[in-house]
Amino acid sequence: MFFIFTANLIKFDLALRVEWAKCQACADRWNEEVVLLNEEMRQVIEYCGWKASWWKQQASQRGDVSPELAEGLLAFAEEQAAMEDSIAIRFASQWAPIRKRALPLIAKFWGTEPDGTDIIMGDSEEEEEIVEFMVGEEDDDGGGSDFDE
């Protein structure tokens, strides 16, 4: 009888270790996803800045046009550059609380956080209000573009 109990206990211990390993792998994937998402947000903001600079350079690329067309091309290029700058500023401000909240997790992922420190994602009411505001903003759009004025 003791042998059966011991065998079942060993099977249970093994099953528990397998489940723990699965959960650990899942948590690792989510941590990696946070790191990747933060990098994607950084790249989008960087791209918008690059695109704005590109539009500013395009304003004077064509010299073989009439003054009226040159003025129109300049106005269009400046408008596009301003739009890209506006998008970058909007994204940066909307994503700042999320990216700030992810910093401890990212530091732990890259090993720049000392071992043994707990990651506290924060329970402040201010952070919750920011997230609720952003969700409420999406719900109130009515499905239109975020860039319509």
Side-chain angles (χ1 to χ4, degrees):
M1 182 84 148
F2 179 73
F3 175 73
I4 294 172
F5 176 74
T6 304
N8 285 339
L9 191 58
I10 291 172
K11 287 181 185 177
F12 177 75
D13 184 54
L14 181 60
L16 191 59
R17 288 174 186 255
V18 167
E19 286 303 313
W20 182 89
K22 287 180 186 179
C23 290
Q24 185 64 40
C26 185
D28 289 345
R29 282 193 302 273
W30 277 105
N31 290 342
E32 183 180 3
E33 194 64 33
V34 169
V35 171
L36 291 173
L37 186 58
N38 184 61
E39 177 60 18
E40 288 172 7
M41 287 188 280
R42 187 197 66 77
Q43 287 179 2
V44 166
I45 295 167
E46 185 74 24
Y47 173 78
C48 288
W50 172 84
K51 192 67 172 184
S53 297
W54 182 84
W55 274 113
K56 290 171 187 171
Q57 291 173 355
Q58 298 307 307
S60 61
Q61 291 295 327
R62 293 187 56 186
D64 60 337
V65 295
S66 68
E68 294 82 15
L69 182 56
E71 183 181 349
L73 292 172
L74 176 64
F76 181 76
E78 288 176 352
E79 182 181 354
Q80 293 300 309
M83 183 182 70
E84 291 293 339
D85 284 334
S86 173
I87 291 170
I89 291 167
R90 183 172 180 190
F91 284 169
S93 66
Q94 281 184 341
W95 294 342
I98 297 164
R99 295 183 73 200
K100 180 181 177 187
R101 198 169 177 183
L103 284 177
L105 188 73
I106 293 167
K108 186 91 168 180
F109 181 84
W110 289 115
T112 56
E113 187 79 17
D115 287 338
T117 59
D118 291 330
I119 296 174
I120 299 171
M121 295 307 282
D123 293 329
S124 74
E125 293 177 19
E126 180 182 325
E127 289 176 354
E128 290 176 12
E129 288 176 14
I130 291 171
V131 173
E132 288 174 12
F133 173 74
M134 290 172 61
V135 170
E137 185 177 284
E138 289 177 2
D139 293 341
D140 294 341
D141 276 351
S145 172
D146 287 340
F147 309 111
D148 293 339
E149 293 187 23

